[in-house]
């Protein structure tokens, strides 16, 4: 027999040590980038609701960049490229593919067409638009994709940092918060150019970062405080309603961690300061007008008296709550999700929330009730004030951040109590989410590649629209996105099982 190579034993020992120390959860950030990133390529520029408004606002966010945007004939108008004005030319008709963009993309990318569709009079808080303007260029499609990928990276980076900084018993709450609320609307919006992407990130993470800030000490507390401030600025700087949501989240975090001590009062200065900042963003944007008039106009009003409208909306409001799970259509409300998506996604949310509520205290119960009242009162007020019925103007993406926070509250660990899911329950849950996400991604790609009327199962057949440049085929993108999401679910649920925080 040959003698072993010198050092072989040491190498094998080192490999064995690495294997024993390596945890699959370390793959989660990369899987998030791939899984959510797939959604960034799953639809064309302009596919999110009101995208022509938001993209124009981004291109015009810096007055010095006259190569992208020029002043119009009136205060609320701007000159931008025809490609931006008509970026959503395929909207509302699911049989209409984005091939209509080609005639506008063929024109010079110069600000030559007048539009009033944009946040040109401080309609929205300016931070999101100003930041994304850094990535705007004379190539609309490339810029739109880059901005989407920036949002994906922000989500992956901030969630990873928050996971590492939070106390171990708070980490499962972060995982469940997003795992059971993202399919399909959350994934679609996160990987879009819509400012609601920052609303999801900011509202969904700020309250939990604040909990960690109150419960930790030293450098970790400082880092969590900084993360809290960053996420509040992202949310409040993107949408006025998100600014209000961060204040609600801060109040809940403070209530859950409250102590009668001077230390707690000193720490409470941080959320108080950022509550003032969030309130400033709210009142300084024209979205504050929703408080007085709602989102209605003469063309969408019901004409009903307010008591009758309230009663009708009371019976229909749950339709708005469950809309983000696929009950409502994606995109410009023209991409119909198959029932397997919304049944699976909603079942996962309800199941985890129900089990999570099994571990509760008075504070947690009151917090859940309070957030539930906000989920009722906020959309109901806006609907009635704007003379709108459920299904008009107010969309599920507006309240999705509150749904995300509700999932976090339901799974919030209190004291030494634990709630449990068996191994079989975990894997049924994971399999359901993976299947629902895969069908949602496939359906979303199908709508734009061939139009929803196509019955050919293979996405690479009879393609009418797809990205030009180094992008994988539609079918390959679907496979990669589905596999990455399934892998992410496996890794996360395995970690939940291992830590025994939400698993028996």
């Amino acid at each position: 027999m040959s003698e072993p190579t010198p050092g072989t034993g040491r190498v094998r020992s080192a490999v064995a040590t690495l294997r024993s120390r390596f945890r699959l959860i370390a793959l989660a950030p990369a899987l998030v980038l791939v899984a959510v990133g797939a959604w960034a390529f799953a639809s064309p520029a302009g596919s999110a609701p009101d995208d022509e408004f938001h993209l124009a606002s981004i291109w015009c966010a810096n007055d010095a960049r006259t190569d992208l945007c020029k002043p119009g004939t009136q205060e609320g108008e701007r000159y931008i490229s025809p490609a931006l004005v008509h970026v959503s030319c395929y909207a509302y008709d699911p049989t209409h593919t984005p091939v209509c963009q080609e005639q506008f993309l063929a024109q010079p990318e110069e600000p030559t067409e007048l539009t009033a569709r944009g946040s040109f009079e401080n309609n929205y808080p300016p931070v999101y638009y100003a930041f994304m303007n850094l990535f705007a260029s004379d190539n609309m499609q490339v810029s739109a994709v880059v901005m989407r990928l920036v949002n994906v990276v922000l989500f992956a980076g901030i969630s990873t940092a928050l996971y590492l900084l939070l106390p171990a018993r708070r980490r499962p709450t972060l995982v469940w918060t997003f795992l059971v609320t993202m399919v399909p609307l959350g994934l679609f919006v996160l990987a879009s150019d819509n400012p609601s992407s920052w609303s999801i990130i900011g509202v969904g993470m700020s309250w939990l970062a604040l909990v960690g800030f109150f419960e930790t000490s030293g450098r970790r507390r400082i880092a969590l405080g900084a993360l809290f401030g960053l996420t509040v600025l992202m949310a409040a700087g993107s949408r006025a309603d998100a600014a209000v949501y961060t204040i609600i989240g801060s109040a809940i975090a403070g209530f859950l961690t409250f102590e009668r001590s001077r230390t707690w009062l000193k720490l409470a200065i941080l959320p108080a300061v950022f509550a003032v900042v969030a309130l400033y963003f709210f009142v300084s944007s024209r979205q504050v007008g929703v408080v007085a008039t709602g989102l209605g106009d003469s063309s969408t009003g019901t004409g009903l008296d307010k008591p009758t409208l309230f009663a009708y909306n009371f019976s229909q409001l749950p339709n708005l709550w469950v809309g983000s799970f696929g009950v409502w259509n994606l995109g410009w409300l023209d991409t119909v999700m198959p029932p397997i998506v919304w049944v699976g996604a909603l079942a996962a949310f309800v199941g985890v929330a129900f089990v999570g509520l099994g571990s509760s205290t008075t504070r947690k119960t009151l917090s859940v009730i309070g957030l539930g009242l906000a989920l009722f009162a906020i959309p109901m007020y806006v609907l009635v004030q704007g003379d709108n019925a459920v299904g008009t103007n107010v969309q599920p993406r507006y309240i999705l951040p509150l749904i995300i926070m509700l999932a976090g509250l339901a799974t919030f660990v209190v004291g030494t109590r634990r709630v449990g899911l068996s191994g079989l329950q975990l894997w049924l849950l994971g399999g359901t989410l993976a299947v629902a996400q895969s069908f949602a991604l496939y359906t979303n790609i199908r709508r734009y590649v061939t139009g929803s009327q196509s019955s050919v199962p293979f996405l690479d057949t009879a393609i009418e629209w797809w990205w030009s440049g180094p992008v994988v085929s539609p079918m390959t993108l679907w496979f990669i996105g589905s596999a990455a999401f399934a892998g992410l679910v496996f890794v996360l649920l395995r970690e939940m099982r291992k830590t025994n925080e939400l698993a028996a």
Side-chain angles (χ1 to χ4, degrees):
M1 297 178 64
S2 59
E3 293 291 329
T5 303
T8 300
R10 290 194 298 272
V11 172
R12 289 177 177 174
S13 177
V15 171
T17 300
L18 286 174
R19 285 179 176 176
S20 64
R21 292 181 178 178
F22 178 76
R23 295 170 62 184
L24 284 177
I25 191 66
L27 298 175
L31 290 171
V32 168
L33 288 172
V34 177
V36 186
W39 282 83
F41 293 96
S43 60
S47 58
D50 301 320
D51 249 9
E52 92 290 356
F53 177 99
H54 297 302
L55 288 173
S57 303
I58 291 170
W59 257 250
C60 295
N62 185 348
D63 292 338
R65 303 193 65 181
T66 55
D67 58 319
L68 302 179
C69 177
K70 294 181 179 179
T73 57
Q74 300 181 39
E75 182 63 27
E77 297 177 341
R78 297 291 187 275
Y79 283 102
I80 56 176
S81 71
L84 280 172
V85 175
H86 303 283
V87 66
S88 303
C89 56
Y90 51 84
Y92 300 119
D93 185 354
T95 66
H96 197 183
T97 67
V99 69
C100 61
Q101 290 180 340
E102 294 178 1
Q103 59 179 310
F104 305 106
L105 291 170
Q107 300 178 31
E109 291 277 354
E110 298 176 357
T112 58
E113 188 160 342
L114 189 66
T115 182
R117 286 283 292 165
S119 183
F120 307 140
E121 297 180 288
N122 202 33
N123 307 70
Y124 280 68
V127 178
Y128 176 84
Y129 296 138
F131 178 79
M132 287 302 169
N133 181 265
L134 298 173
F135 308 100
S137 72
D138 58 2
N139 190 319
M140 184 271 292
Q141 284 191 313
V142 171
S143 297
V145 170
V146 169
M147 292 171 197
R148 291 178 178 188
L149 294 177
V150 167
N151 283 336
V152 174
V153 170
L154 285 171
F155 175 73
I158 295 173
S159 60
T160 299
L162 184 56
Y163 184 91
L164 294 174
L165 290 169
L166 283 172
R169 71 192 190 111
R170 296 293 175 225
R171 291 171 179 172
T173 297
L174 174 63
V175 171
W176 290 118
T177 292
F178 288 97
L179 189 60
V180 299
T181 56
M182 288 295 99
V183 179
L185 181 62
L187 290 169
F188 179 85
V189 173
L190 269 178
S192 74
D193 300 306
N194 196 291
S196 292
S197 58
W198 278 22
S199 177
I200 288 173
I201 296 170
V203 176
M205 298 188 195
S206 60
W207 76 277
L208 198 51
L210 185 58
V211 167
F213 172 76
F214 279 116
E215 293 183 339
T216 56
S217 60
R219 293 181 178 179
R220 179 174 288 192
R221 171 174 285 170
I222 294 173
L224 282 166
L227 207 56
F228 165 73
L230 172 64
T231 49
V232 168
L233 286 176
M234 288 179 66
S238 61
R239 292 187 58 92
D241 52 4
V244 175
Y245 297 162
T246 62
I247 296 174
I248 294 174
S250 296
I252 289 174
F255 180 66
L256 288 171
T257 59
F258 176 73
E259 295 177 355
R260 293 184 178 181
S261 68
R262 184 171 299 178
T263 299
W264 188 94
L265 290 175
K266 288 181 178 179
L267 294 175
I269 294 174
L270 179 69
V273 168
F274 277 97
V276 173
V277 172
L279 188 61
Y280 168 77
F281 278 116
F282 175 72
V283 299
S284 62
S285 72
R286 293 188 63 186
Q287 282 185 302
V288 72
V290 172
V291 175
T293 63
L295 291 172
D297 56 50
S298 58
S299 65
T300 58
T302 63
L304 299 174
D305 60 84
K306 288 191 176 182
T308 302
L309 182 58
F310 179 90
Y312 175 80
N313 284 336
F314 184 86
S315 68
Q316 298 296 315
L317 203 58
N319 181 265
L320 195 62
W321 295 336
V322 301
S324 61
F325 299 101
V327 176
W328 281 46
N329 303 338
L330 291 189
W332 287 79
L333 305 182
D334 58 8
T335 305
V336 181
M337 291 288 105
I340 195 171
V341 173
W342 61 263
V343 170
L346 185 57
F349 172 83
V350 172
V352 169
F354 185 78
V355 172
L357 289 172
S359 172
S360 190
T361 61
T362 300
R363 290 192 190 186
K364 177 177 174 178
T365 300
L366 291 176
S367 297
V368 170
I369 293 173
L371 187 56
L373 290 174
L375 270 166
F376 170 81
I378 293 174
M380 178 65 80
Y381 177 84
V382 175
L383 285 166
V384 174
Q385 199 70 4
D387 192 26
N388 292 154
V390 171
T392 305
N393 286 322
V394 179
Q395 298 179 21
R397 63 190 171 96
Y398 300 162
I399 62 171
L400 176 57
L402 293 180
I403 298 291
I404 293 171
M405 200 188 308
L406 182 62
L409 268 180
T411 56
F412 191 80
V413 175
V414 290
T416 58
R417 302 182 187 183
R418 295 292 183 268
V419 291
L421 291 172
S422 70
L424 178 60
Q425 288 173 321
L426 279 174
W427 302 125
L428 284 175
L429 171 71
T432 299
L433 281 172
V435 170
Q437 192 276 161
S438 183
F439 272 90
L441 181 60
Y442 176 94
T443 304
N444 195 65
I445 296 173
R446 162 65 69 203
R447 182 262 178 268
Y448 300 106
V449 170
T450 62
S452 59
Q453 78 283 359
S454 176
S455 59
V456 179
F458 199 60
L459 290 171
D460 292 348
T461 301
I463 295 176
E464 294 184 22
W465 169 86
W466 193 237
W467 301 99
S468 58
V471 180
V472 297
S473 71
M475 201 72 186
T476 303
L477 180 72
W478 169 72
F479 177 80
I480 292 174
S482 298
F485 187 84
L488 177 64
V489 170
F490 172 78
V491 166
L492 293 177
L493 293 188
R494 186 176 184 272
E495 187 69 13
M496 296 303 96
R497 174 74 170 169
K498 188 175 181 180
T499 57
N500 195 35
E501 290 288 347
L502 263 177

